Amino acid sequence: MSKRILTASLVTVLALGAATACSSSSSGSGSGGSGGTPTVRLMVGGIDKQIYLPYQLAQNLGFYKKYGVNVVLSTEQDGGTGAEDAMASGQVDMAGAWYNHTIDFQVKGKAVEDVVQLSGAPGEREMCATKSGVHSAADFKGKTLGVTDLGSGTDTLTQFLAAKKGLKTSDFHRIGVGAGSTAIAALQNGKVACVMTTQPTVAAIEKKGVGYSAVDVATTSGAQAATGGAWPAAGVIARTDWVNSHKDAVQKVVDALVATMHWIDKHSAADIADKLPQSFVQNQLVTKADYVAALTQDKGQFLPDGIMPAGGPKNVLTTEELVGHATSKVNLGTTFTNDFAVAANKKEGFTTTTTPAGTSG
């Protein structure tokens, strides 16, 4: 999805991960590796962010290995290629990114699909400076608003929230401020009135007394109130031609992530934090207690079964239409599939609670 700033403690570790991902490409991604186990390269749009925690959690729980796939994780670097673009160009096989990119790619003539949906909400909050006077998107008029990057999912969502309140993009100004420390600095130094960001940056802003949450699109209920319905965000997207030629590998990745979503659903935020890398949950931005409190607050963004929710694709398409990124000519049925998630749930006898989206979204 959007390019996200990494905390300093993560840069070395994740750079190594990215290097590993690049080196694996020569052996043929999705092909049988040692013992016939397929290797899949998956780049995440900010692997240390709470909205994207399932990808690393699945690794740490041993679920990729359990379901017979070697997943090589990497992450976006600030100023580098976005996860969705790396996937589209073949640098990696899959992207841990927002569903809306599948619509964007279709508009550009590229077939990309979502194969498992991890969240029913963006996991984002519009964090506004203490004296900004912003309490809803209606107050964006005349303000400078921070997004991760121009053209990113947070940029699209910011424009959508404003449009829902009758504002045009010319009524406010948007700039890219990244995430983490750079987003906090932009808010603290008055460069922006508000910034759309995720946990744990949200918790750090609140703890520093720099700002407050003016608009909640972090949880499924918050997204429904702000956007009019479920707004599926984090998932796994891949080129349709690659999916069709690597169905066994795709199914194994989805099996592992569906099992992870059920694990998340049945465990506390503290349990989840204990299974993540120390650098994710305790760094210069947040303490582990802050991280756990933030995850407890926003854990409701995660879907328990990996299924694309009914009405979600339509709601995202409405967003894209409203900000001028798409038209109703988009064929939603080709932007996602629930086939792999349904099979994964059936395989383990999991009970599903998400009403699946049909071909019309």
Side-chain angles (χ1 to χ4, degrees), residues 27-297:
S27 62
S29 56
S31 62
S34 126
T37 301
T39 293
V40 173
R41 301 164 300 161
L42 195 162
M43 180 182 283
V44 182
I47 202 167
D48 59 330
K49 305 303 180 214
Q50 282 192 5
I51 59 172
Y52 290 137
L53 71 83
Y55 309 102
Q56 184 66 53
L57 182 61
Q59 190 83 279
N60 289 15
L61 291 173
F63 284 172
Y64 295 130
K65 183 177 180 180
K66 175 182 177 180
Y67 289 98
V69 60
N70 174 36
V71 174
V72 180
L73 294 173
S74 59
T75 191
E76 290 182 0
Q77 300 287 346
D78 180 41
T81 303
E84 71 282 354
D85 292 325
M87 173 275 301
S89 65
Q91 295 176 50
V92 294
D93 308 309
M94 293 177 150
W98 281 14
Y99 161 70
N100 72 303
H101 290 301
T102 66
I103 295 174
D104 294 339
F105 279 121
Q106 187 175 130
V107 171
K108 296 172 184 175
K110 297 181 180 180
V112 172
E113 63 189 87
D114 183 304
V115 297
V116 60
Q117 189 58 37
L118 308 184
S119 69
E124 306 277 348
R125 291 178 182 271
E126 192 71 35
M127 300 299 294
C128 298
T130 306
K131 297 181 180 180
S132 65
V134 177
H135 299 288
S136 78
D139 300 321
F140 288 175
K141 190 170 184 177
K143 306 292 186 183
T144 296
L145 307 174
V147 297
T148 315
D149 290 294
L150 293 180
S152 68
T154 56
D155 188 17
T156 298
L157 195 55
T158 297
Q159 294 176 65
F160 176 59
L161 293 175
K164 291 276 283 185
K165 296 296 184 180
L167 299 183
K168 300 175 183 177
T169 53
S170 58
D171 290 330
F172 54 95
H173 184 55
R174 307 169 344 264
I175 61 173
V177 297
S181 58
T182 56
I184 295 171
L187 199 62
Q188 196 166 23
N189 298 336
K191 189 175 182 180
V192 296
C194 304
V195 60
M196 182 170 285
T197 192
T198 183
Q199 300 286 12
T201 307
V202 166
I205 289 172
E206 292 175 333
K207 188 172 183 179
K208 289 174 179 288
V210 175
Y212 58 90
S213 174
V215 183
D216 167 21
V217 281
T219 61
T220 302
S221 59
Q224 288 173 339
T227 71
W231 208 97
V236 173
I237 63 176
R239 300 181 311 280
T240 297
D241 62 344
W242 188 88
V243 172
N244 289 339
S245 61
H246 296 84
K247 288 189 175 181
D248 179 61
V250 173
Q251 186 63 65
K252 289 175 178 180
V253 171
V254 175
D255 287 347
L257 285 168
V258 164
T260 301
M261 302 318 292
H262 282 281
W263 193 94
I264 289 172
D265 187 51
K266 293 182 174 10
H267 288 78
S268 68
D271 291 336
I272 295 166
D274 285 342
K275 294 295 183 179
L276 291 171
Q278 179 75 8
S279 57
F280 283 29
V281 303
Q282 187 170 347
N283 49 58
Q284 69 263 37
L285 285 181
V286 291
T287 65
K288 188 171 182 179
D290 292 332
Y291 187 95
V292 170
L295 182 55
T296 300
Q297 182 182 24

